[in-house]
Short mmCIF file of all heavy atoms in Angstrom, two decimals:
data_model
loop_
_atom_site.label_atom_id
_atom_site.label_comp_id
_atom_site.label_asym_id
_atom_site.label_seq_id
_atom_site.Cartn_x
_atom_site.Cartn_y
_atom_site.Cartn_z
N MET G 21 25.19 -10.31 90.22
CA MET G 21 24.08 -10.32 89.25
C MET G 21 24.15 -9.16 88.31
O MET G 21 25.06 -8.98 87.69
CB MET G 21 22.70 -10.41 89.92
CG MET G 21 22.42 -11.90 90.46
SD MET G 21 20.65 -11.95 90.55
CE MET G 21 20.61 -13.62 90.52
N GLY G 22 23.01 -8.47 88.24
CA GLY G 22 22.83 -7.23 87.43
C GLY G 22 23.11 -7.44 85.91
O GLY G 22 22.61 -8.36 85.28
N ARG G 23 23.96 -6.51 85.38
CA ARG G 23 24.23 -6.51 83.99
C ARG G 23 24.81 -7.76 83.36
O ARG G 23 24.32 -8.26 82.38
CB ARG G 23 25.21 -5.30 83.60
CG ARG G 23 24.54 -4.00 83.76
CD ARG G 23 25.64 -2.84 83.53
NE ARG G 23 26.26 -3.11 82.23
CZ ARG G 23 25.92 -2.27 81.10
NH1 ARG G 23 25.15 -1.35 81.24
NH2 ARG G 23 26.68 -2.55 80.04
N ALA G 24 25.84 -8.35 84.11
CA ALA G 24 26.44 -9.52 83.61
C ALA G 24 25.45 -10.73 83.50
O ALA G 24 25.45 -11.43 82.59
CB ALA G 24 27.54 -9.89 84.55
N ALA G 25 24.59 -10.85 84.54
CA ALA G 25 23.60 -11.90 84.50
C ALA G 25 22.65 -11.66 83.45
O ALA G 25 22.19 -12.72 82.76
CB ALA G 25 22.92 -12.00 85.85
N ARG G 26 22.16 -10.49 83.06
CA ARG G 26 21.17 -10.29 82.08
C ARG G 26 21.73 -10.57 80.73
O ARG G 26 21.29 -11.10 79.78
CB ARG G 26 20.78 -8.78 82.01
CG ARG G 26 19.61 -8.45 83.23
CD ARG G 26 19.27 -7.14 83.16
NE ARG G 26 18.31 -6.78 82.06
CZ ARG G 26 17.12 -7.05 81.84
NH1 ARG G 26 16.46 -7.75 82.77
NH2 ARG G 26 16.43 -6.85 80.78
N LYS G 27 23.14 -10.11 80.57
CA LYS G 27 23.81 -10.37 79.32
C LYS G 27 24.02 -11.81 78.96
O LYS G 27 23.83 -12.35 77.87
CB LYS G 27 25.14 -9.54 79.30
CG LYS G 27 25.72 -9.51 77.96
CD LYS G 27 26.97 -8.59 77.98
CE LYS G 27 27.50 -8.39 76.65
NZ LYS G 27 28.57 -7.30 76.55
N ALA G 28 24.31 -12.57 80.15
CA ALA G 28 24.57 -13.93 80.07
C ALA G 28 23.28 -14.72 79.62
O ALA G 28 23.30 -15.64 78.85
CB ALA G 28 24.97 -14.50 81.30
N ARG G 29 21.99 -14.24 79.94
CA ARG G 29 20.76 -14.75 79.66
C ARG G 29 20.32 -14.24 78.24
O ARG G 29 19.21 -14.72 77.84
CB ARG G 29 19.69 -14.47 80.77
CG ARG G 29 19.91 -15.10 81.98
CD ARG G 29 18.73 -14.92 82.95
NE ARG G 29 18.31 -13.68 83.20
CZ ARG G 29 18.74 -12.84 84.39
NH1 ARG G 29 19.42 -13.48 85.16
NH2 ARG G 29 18.22 -11.67 84.45
N GLY G 30 21.11 -13.39 77.67
CA GLY G 30 20.67 -12.90 76.44
C GLY G 30 19.66 -11.75 76.41
O GLY G 30 18.95 -11.44 75.53
N GLN G 31 19.46 -11.15 77.63
CA GLN G 31 18.32 -10.09 77.82
C GLN G 31 19.08 -8.75 77.49
O GLN G 31 20.21 -8.62 77.61
CB GLN G 31 17.94 -10.09 79.20
CG GLN G 31 16.95 -11.37 79.51
CD GLN G 31 16.54 -11.36 80.83
OE1 GLN G 31 17.19 -10.95 81.85
NE2 GLN G 31 15.22 -11.85 81.14
N SER G 32 18.23 -7.81 77.17
CA SER G 32 18.76 -6.48 76.70
C SER G 32 19.29 -5.80 77.88
O SER G 32 18.85 -6.06 79.05
CB SER G 32 17.76 -5.72 76.10
OG SER G 32 16.56 -5.40 76.90
N ILE G 33 20.09 -4.95 77.66
CA ILE G 33 20.77 -4.04 78.58
C ILE G 33 20.52 -2.54 78.28
O ILE G 33 20.81 -2.19 77.23
CB ILE G 33 22.24 -4.24 78.78
CG1 ILE G 33 22.56 -5.83 79.20
CG2 ILE G 33 22.96 -3.37 79.85
CD1 ILE G 33 24.04 -6.09 79.18
N GLY G 34 19.94 -1.80 79.15
CA GLY G 34 19.71 -0.46 78.87
C GLY G 34 18.22 -0.12 78.62
O GLY G 34 17.34 -0.95 78.62
N ARG G 35 17.98 1.07 78.12
CA ARG G 35 16.82 1.63 77.72
C ARG G 35 16.22 1.03 76.55
O ARG G 35 16.85 0.74 75.56
CB ARG G 35 16.93 3.20 77.66
CG ARG G 35 15.53 3.83 77.42
CD ARG G 35 15.82 5.39 77.42
NE ARG G 35 14.61 6.09 77.05
CZ ARG G 35 13.77 6.34 78.05
NH1 ARG G 35 13.87 6.15 79.37
NH2 ARG G 35 12.57 6.99 77.75
N PRO G 36 14.90 0.73 76.64
CA PRO G 36 14.20 0.06 75.42
C PRO G 36 14.11 1.06 74.30
O PRO G 36 14.25 2.40 74.48
CB PRO G 36 12.74 -0.22 75.98
CG PRO G 36 12.87 -0.08 77.52
CD PRO G 36 13.95 0.79 77.80
N LYS G 37 14.08 0.69 72.94
CA LYS G 37 14.10 1.55 71.94
C LYS G 37 12.64 2.22 71.85
O LYS G 37 11.69 1.73 72.44
CB LYS G 37 14.11 0.62 70.65
CG LYS G 37 15.44 -0.08 70.49
CD LYS G 37 16.58 0.84 69.99
CE LYS G 37 17.84 0.06 69.92
NZ LYS G 37 18.95 0.93 69.75
N ALA G 38 12.61 3.46 71.31
CA ALA G 38 11.48 4.30 71.27
C ALA G 38 10.30 3.52 70.34
O ALA G 38 9.16 3.64 70.59
CB ALA G 38 11.81 5.70 70.69
N LEU G 39 10.85 2.92 69.22
CA LEU G 39 9.90 2.31 68.35
C LEU G 39 10.42 0.84 67.95
O LEU G 39 11.55 0.50 68.05
CB LEU G 39 9.90 2.95 66.94
CG LEU G 39 9.31 4.51 67.04
CD1 LEU G 39 9.35 5.03 65.62
CD2 LEU G 39 7.86 4.49 67.42
N THR G 40 9.47 0.05 67.61
CA THR G 40 9.95 -1.34 67.20
C THR G 40 10.63 -1.18 65.77
O THR G 40 10.31 -0.06 65.13
CB THR G 40 8.64 -2.28 67.07
OG1 THR G 40 7.80 -1.69 66.01
CG2 THR G 40 7.98 -2.50 68.32
N GLU G 41 11.25 -2.22 65.29
CA GLU G 41 11.83 -2.09 63.98
C GLU G 41 10.89 -1.82 62.89
O GLU G 41 11.19 -1.05 61.97
CB GLU G 41 12.72 -3.38 63.75
CG GLU G 41 14.01 -3.42 64.46
CD GLU G 41 14.85 -4.54 63.97
OE1 GLU G 41 14.84 -4.83 62.84
OE2 GLU G 41 15.65 -5.01 64.82
N ALA G 42 9.71 -2.49 63.00
CA ALA G 42 8.64 -2.25 61.98
C ALA G 42 8.24 -0.93 62.04
O ALA G 42 8.02 -0.20 60.94
CB ALA G 42 7.56 -3.19 62.15
N LYS G 43 7.83 -0.23 63.01
CA LYS G 43 7.46 1.14 63.23
C LYS G 43 8.66 2.07 62.77
O LYS G 43 8.27 3.24 62.19
CB LYS G 43 6.93 1.46 64.61
CG LYS G 43 5.63 0.81 64.89
CD LYS G 43 4.99 1.28 66.18
CE LYS G 43 3.72 0.74 66.47
NZ LYS G 43 3.03 1.30 67.57
N ALA G 44 9.81 1.84 63.12
CA ALA G 44 10.82 2.59 62.72
C ALA G 44 10.91 2.64 61.14
O ALA G 44 11.20 3.73 60.57
CB ALA G 44 12.21 2.11 63.31
N ALA G 45 10.79 1.54 60.55
CA ALA G 45 10.79 1.37 59.06
C ALA G 45 9.61 2.28 58.45
O ALA G 45 9.79 2.94 57.46
CB ALA G 45 10.74 -0.08 58.66
N GLN G 46 8.45 2.22 59.13
CA GLN G 46 7.36 3.02 58.58
C GLN G 46 7.68 4.37 58.73
O GLN G 46 7.45 5.32 57.81
CB GLN G 46 6.09 2.74 59.55
CG GLN G 46 5.38 1.57 59.17
CD GLN G 46 4.07 1.52 60.03
OE1 GLN G 46 4.08 1.69 61.22
NE2 GLN G 46 2.98 1.07 59.42
N LEU G 47 8.37 4.91 59.87
CA LEU G 47 8.73 6.29 60.02
C LEU G 47 9.68 6.73 58.97
O LEU G 47 9.51 7.84 58.36
CB LEU G 47 9.30 6.41 61.44
CG LEU G 47 9.79 7.84 61.66
CD1 LEU G 47 8.87 8.72 62.62
CD2 LEU G 47 11.20 7.88 62.42
N VAL G 48 10.67 5.90 58.65
CA VAL G 48 11.67 6.23 57.67
C VAL G 48 11.14 6.36 56.30
O VAL G 48 11.35 7.29 55.61
CB VAL G 48 12.72 5.05 57.62
CG1 VAL G 48 13.74 5.36 56.44
CG2 VAL G 48 13.64 5.22 58.92
N ARG G 49 10.17 5.48 55.93
CA ARG G 49 9.43 5.56 54.69
C ARG G 49 8.68 6.79 54.57
O ARG G 49 8.65 7.53 53.46
CB ARG G 49 8.51 4.27 54.42
CG ARG G 49 9.22 3.12 54.02
CD ARG G 49 8.36 1.97 53.44
NE ARG G 49 7.31 1.62 54.51
CZ ARG G 49 7.50 0.57 55.34
NH1 ARG G 49 8.62 0.02 55.32
NH2 ARG G 49 6.57 0.23 56.21
N LEU G 50 7.82 7.24 55.61
CA LEU G 50 7.18 8.51 55.58
C LEU G 50 8.11 9.62 55.41
O LEU G 50 7.81 10.58 54.50
CB LEU G 50 6.42 8.60 57.03
CG LEU G 50 5.12 8.05 57.07
CD1 LEU G 50 4.63 8.21 58.53
CD2 LEU G 50 4.15 8.52 56.18
N VAL G 51 9.17 9.72 56.05
CA VAL G 51 10.14 10.88 55.91
C VAL G 51 10.79 10.84 54.46
O VAL G 51 10.88 11.94 53.88
CB VAL G 51 11.21 10.93 57.03
CG1 VAL G 51 12.38 11.81 56.80
CG2 VAL G 51 10.68 10.99 58.40
N TRP G 52 11.13 9.85 54.05
CA TRP G 52 11.70 9.55 52.83
C TRP G 52 10.66 9.97 51.68
O TRP G 52 11.09 10.32 50.52
CB TRP G 52 12.35 8.29 52.44
CG TRP G 52 13.70 8.09 53.20
CD1 TRP G 52 14.31 9.08 53.92
CD2 TRP G 52 14.48 6.93 53.33
NE1 TRP G 52 15.41 8.50 54.43
CE2 TRP G 52 15.52 7.26 54.01
CE3 TRP G 52 14.32 5.57 52.86
CZ2 TRP G 52 16.48 6.19 54.36
CZ3 TRP G 52 15.17 4.61 52.99
CH2 TRP G 52 16.27 4.85 53.82
N ALA G 53 9.32 9.80 51.87
CA ALA G 53 8.42 10.17 51.01
C ALA G 53 8.07 11.58 50.94
O ALA G 53 7.18 12.08 50.21
CB ALA G 53 7.11 9.37 51.31
N GLY G 54 8.70 12.40 51.90
CA GLY G 54 8.45 13.80 52.01
C GLY G 54 7.80 14.39 53.15
O GLY G 54 7.56 15.51 53.32
N GLU G 55 7.20 13.53 54.12
CA GLU G 55 6.64 13.98 55.44
C GLU G 55 7.79 14.66 56.22
O GLU G 55 8.77 14.26 56.52
CB GLU G 55 6.13 12.71 56.06
CG GLU G 55 5.37 12.98 57.44
CD GLU G 55 3.94 13.49 57.03
OE1 GLU G 55 3.37 13.23 56.03
OE2 GLU G 55 3.35 14.06 58.09
N PRO G 56 7.38 15.86 56.79
CA PRO G 56 8.26 16.50 57.66
C PRO G 56 8.66 15.68 58.98
O PRO G 56 7.70 14.95 59.46
CB PRO G 56 7.62 17.73 58.06
CG PRO G 56 6.50 17.96 57.08
CD PRO G 56 6.15 16.65 56.52
N VAL G 57 9.77 15.59 59.32
CA VAL G 57 10.26 14.74 60.52
C VAL G 57 9.46 15.05 61.69
O VAL G 57 8.95 14.28 62.39
CB VAL G 57 11.67 14.88 60.75
CG1 VAL G 57 12.16 14.16 61.90
CG2 VAL G 57 12.60 14.39 59.53
N ALA G 58 9.14 16.36 61.92
CA ALA G 58 8.42 16.69 63.23
C ALA G 58 7.04 16.16 63.20
O ALA G 58 6.51 15.59 64.17
CB ALA G 58 8.39 18.23 63.31
N MET G 59 6.36 16.23 62.05
CA MET G 59 5.03 15.66 61.85
C MET G 59 5.03 14.13 62.05
O MET G 59 4.13 13.62 62.78
CB MET G 59 4.39 16.08 60.63
CG MET G 59 4.19 17.59 60.49
SD MET G 59 3.27 18.11 59.09
CE MET G 59 1.73 17.41 59.26
N ALA G 60 5.98 13.49 61.42
CA ALA G 60 6.14 12.09 61.57
C ALA G 60 6.32 11.64 63.13
O ALA G 60 5.74 10.68 63.49
CB ALA G 60 7.16 11.51 60.70
N ALA G 61 7.19 12.39 63.66
CA ALA G 61 7.59 12.11 65.14
C ALA G 61 6.34 12.16 65.96
O ALA G 61 5.93 11.41 66.75
CB ALA G 61 8.56 12.96 65.59
N GLU G 62 5.50 13.26 65.71
CA GLU G 62 4.29 13.51 66.47
C GLU G 62 3.33 12.32 66.21
O GLU G 62 2.61 11.84 67.06
CB GLU G 62 3.66 14.76 66.11
CG GLU G 62 2.52 15.10 66.91
CD GLU G 62 1.85 16.58 66.56
OE1 GLU G 62 2.65 17.50 66.04
OE2 GLU G 62 0.78 16.78 66.88
N ALA G 63 3.19 11.88 65.02
CA ALA G 63 2.32 10.82 64.72
C ALA G 63 2.67 9.56 65.33
O ALA G 63 1.72 8.72 65.79
CB ALA G 63 2.29 10.67 63.05
N PHE G 64 3.97 9.30 65.48
CA PHE G 64 4.38 8.02 66.19
C PHE G 64 4.47 8.23 67.73
O PHE G 64 4.85 7.29 68.38
CB PHE G 64 5.75 7.64 65.64
CG PHE G 64 5.45 6.86 64.30
CD1 PHE G 64 5.56 7.58 63.14
CD2 PHE G 64 5.27 5.52 64.30
CE1 PHE G 64 5.33 6.93 61.90
CE2 PHE G 64 5.07 4.82 63.06
CZ PHE G 64 5.10 5.55 61.90
N GLY G 65 4.38 9.40 68.18
CA GLY G 65 4.39 9.82 69.68
C GLY G 65 5.89 9.71 70.14
O GLY G 65 6.07 9.26 71.32
N ILE G 66 6.83 10.21 69.37
CA ILE G 66 8.17 10.20 69.92
C ILE G 66 8.65 11.60 69.59
O ILE G 66 8.09 12.42 68.99
CB ILE G 66 9.06 9.17 69.19
CG1 ILE G 66 9.13 9.41 67.60
CG2 ILE G 66 8.68 7.71 69.43
CD1 ILE G 66 10.16 8.59 66.80
N SER G 67 9.82 11.83 70.18
CA SER G 67 10.47 13.22 70.10
C SER G 67 10.99 13.39 68.67
O SER G 67 11.38 12.38 68.00
CB SER G 67 11.54 13.40 71.08
OG SER G 67 12.69 12.54 70.86
N ARG G 68 11.18 14.65 68.38
CA ARG G 68 11.82 14.94 67.10
C ARG G 68 13.33 14.33 66.93
O ARG G 68 13.81 13.88 66.00
CB ARG G 68 12.02 16.33 66.88
CG ARG G 68 10.62 16.96 66.36
CD ARG G 68 10.89 18.55 65.95
NE ARG G 68 11.70 19.20 66.80
CZ ARG G 68 12.65 20.08 66.54
NH1 ARG G 68 12.66 20.46 65.30
NH2 ARG G 68 13.41 20.64 67.33
N ALA G 69 13.94 14.44 68.21
CA ALA G 69 15.39 13.97 68.39
C ALA G 69 15.44 12.51 68.02
O ALA G 69 16.38 11.97 67.19
CB ALA G 69 15.94 14.28 69.64
N SER G 70 14.51 11.77 68.53
CA SER G 70 14.38 10.37 68.33
C SER G 70 14.23 9.98 66.84
O SER G 70 14.81 9.10 66.34
CB SER G 70 13.38 9.57 69.25
OG SER G 70 13.78 9.71 70.60
N ALA G 71 13.23 10.68 66.32
CA ALA G 71 12.86 10.54 64.81
C ALA G 71 14.04 10.81 64.08
O ALA G 71 14.42 10.07 63.08
CB ALA G 71 11.73 11.48 64.44
N TYR G 72 14.80 11.87 64.22
CA TYR G 72 16.09 12.19 63.51
C TYR G 72 17.09 11.14 63.60
O TYR G 72 17.64 10.73 62.60
CB TYR G 72 16.63 13.56 63.78
CG TYR G 72 15.98 14.83 63.04
CD1 TYR G 72 15.08 15.61 63.76
CD2 TYR G 72 16.09 14.97 61.81
CE1 TYR G 72 14.54 16.72 63.11
CE2 TYR G 72 15.49 16.09 61.08
CZ TYR G 72 14.71 16.95 61.87
OH TYR G 72 14.18 17.80 61.15
N ARG G 73 17.22 10.65 64.74
CA ARG G 73 18.11 9.61 65.06
C ARG G 73 17.80 8.29 64.29
O ARG G 73 18.72 7.54 63.69
CB ARG G 73 18.30 9.32 66.50
CG ARG G 73 19.38 8.17 66.99
CD ARG G 73 19.70 8.14 68.47
NE ARG G 73 18.41 8.27 69.21
CZ ARG G 73 17.99 9.42 69.91
NH1 ARG G 73 18.72 10.31 69.92
NH2 ARG G 73 16.98 9.33 70.73
N ILE G 74 16.58 7.94 64.29
CA ILE G 74 16.13 6.74 63.57
C ILE G 74 16.37 6.95 62.13
O ILE G 74 16.86 5.98 61.45
CB ILE G 74 14.58 6.52 63.82
CG1 ILE G 74 14.45 6.05 65.36
CG2 ILE G 74 14.07 5.44 62.94
CD1 ILE G 74 13.05 6.03 65.86
N VAL G 75 16.00 8.07 61.56
CA VAL G 75 16.23 8.26 60.14
C VAL G 75 17.73 8.35 59.82
O VAL G 75 18.17 7.66 58.71
CB VAL G 75 15.58 9.64 59.68
CG1 VAL G 75 16.02 10.05 58.29
CG2 VAL G 75 14.10 9.58 59.77
N ARG G 76 18.52 8.90 60.65
CA ARG G 76 20.01 8.88 60.51
C ARG G 76 20.54 7.51 60.35
O ARG G 76 21.38 7.16 59.61
CB ARG G 76 20.65 9.67 61.48
CG ARG G 76 22.20 9.84 61.37
CD ARG G 76 22.89 10.17 62.56
NE ARG G 76 22.68 9.21 63.57
CZ ARG G 76 22.73 9.41 64.91
NH1 ARG G 76 22.97 10.65 65.34
NH2 ARG G 76 22.53 8.44 65.75
N ASP G 77 20.25 6.78 61.28
CA ASP G 77 20.56 5.40 61.51
C ASP G 77 20.23 4.46 60.17
O ASP G 77 20.94 3.76 59.74
CB ASP G 77 20.16 4.68 62.68
CG ASP G 77 20.74 5.24 63.99
OD1 ASP G 77 21.79 6.02 63.95
OD2 ASP G 77 20.25 5.00 65.11
N ALA G 78 19.06 4.80 59.79
CA ALA G 78 18.55 4.10 58.48
C ALA G 78 19.41 4.51 57.40
O ALA G 78 19.71 3.71 56.46
CB ALA G 78 17.10 4.46 58.23
N VAL G 79 19.79 5.76 57.23
CA VAL G 79 20.59 6.22 56.07
C VAL G 79 21.99 5.51 56.22
O VAL G 79 22.60 5.00 55.24
CB VAL G 79 20.78 7.62 56.10
CG1 VAL G 79 21.84 8.26 55.15
CG2 VAL G 79 19.48 8.41 55.74
N LEU G 80 22.62 5.50 57.44
CA LEU G 80 23.78 4.91 57.61
C LEU G 80 23.87 3.36 57.22
O LEU G 80 24.76 2.87 56.58
CB LEU G 80 24.34 4.88 59.08
CG LEU G 80 24.68 6.40 59.51
CD1 LEU G 80 24.94 6.46 61.03
CD2 LEU G 80 25.69 7.05 58.66
N VAL G 81 22.72 2.60 57.76
CA VAL G 81 22.55 1.24 57.26
C VAL G 81 22.52 1.08 55.84
O VAL G 81 23.12 0.19 55.14
CB VAL G 81 21.42 0.59 58.11
CG1 VAL G 81 21.16 -0.79 57.46
CG2 VAL G 81 21.67 0.53 59.52
N THR G 82 21.72 1.93 55.20
CA THR G 82 21.51 1.69 53.69
C THR G 82 22.84 2.07 52.99
O THR G 82 23.03 1.33 51.98
CB THR G 82 20.42 2.80 53.43
OG1 THR G 82 19.24 2.51 54.01
CG2 THR G 82 20.12 2.76 51.86
N SER G 83 23.55 3.07 53.40
CA SER G 83 24.84 3.30 52.69
C SER G 83 25.84 2.33 52.98
O SER G 83 26.66 1.93 52.09
CB SER G 83 25.26 4.67 53.17
OG SER G 83 25.59 4.68 54.55
N ALA G 84 25.79 1.73 54.11
CA ALA G 84 26.74 0.71 54.44
C ALA G 84 26.49 -0.62 53.49
O ALA G 84 27.43 -1.26 53.17
CB ALA G 84 26.70 0.29 55.93
N ARG G 85 25.22 -0.91 53.38
CA ARG G 85 24.76 -2.07 52.54
C ARG G 85 25.18 -1.84 51.02
O ARG G 85 25.55 -2.83 50.38
CB ARG G 85 23.31 -2.29 52.59
CG ARG G 85 22.98 -2.97 53.94
CD ARG G 85 21.46 -3.37 53.90
NE ARG G 85 20.98 -3.72 55.26
CZ ARG G 85 19.88 -3.87 55.64
NH1 ARG G 85 18.78 -3.39 54.91
NH2 ARG G 85 19.61 -4.29 56.80
N ALA G 86 25.26 -0.60 50.60
CA ALA G 86 25.59 -0.31 49.22
C ALA G 86 26.93 -0.46 48.79
O ALA G 86 27.27 -0.59 47.78
CB ALA G 86 25.00 1.10 48.88
N GLN G 87 27.88 -0.44 49.88
CA GLN G 87 29.27 -0.52 49.54
C GLN G 87 29.78 -2.00 49.57
O GLN G 87 29.58 -2.94 49.58
CB GLN G 87 30.11 0.01 50.88
CG GLN G 87 29.80 1.51 50.77
CD GLN G 87 30.54 2.06 52.01
OE1 GLN G 87 31.21 1.33 52.90
NE2 GLN G 87 30.70 3.44 52.09
#
């Protein structure tokens, strides 16, 4: 059972994301508008590291779409 069964059923494997996609998009917009990452992270109740990772991933997705 375990991982293979969850994957076969289409269920997620691993730790849940810190924020939903909608909240992550809000965080990214705040940071891109000039809000310090540390303050945005505190407002969303996540660590600075998670906030930086979310912003970094958003930049990577945006740059990949531009190509």
Side-chain angles (χ1 to χ4, degrees):
M21 274 212 162
R23 288 175 56 104
R26 286 184 66 82
K27 193 169 186 176
R29 291 191 306 259
Q31 293 177 324
S32 64
I33 299 172
R35 183 175 176 87
K37 300 286 183 188
L39 296 177
T40 64
E41 285 191 32
K43 286 189 177 186
Q46 279 183 317
L47 176 103
V48 170
R49 281 195 299 274
L50 276 176
V51 171
W52 286 353
E55 183 81 17
V57 174
M59 291 181 75
E62 186 177 337
F64 282 89
I66 61 173
S67 70
R68 282 185 322 142
S70 291
Y72 275 109
R73 186 172 37 256
I74 290 166
V75 172
R76 180 197 66 205
D77 291 349
V79 169
L80 293 176
V81 169
T82 303
S83 65
R85 287 183 183 163
Q87 293 178 353

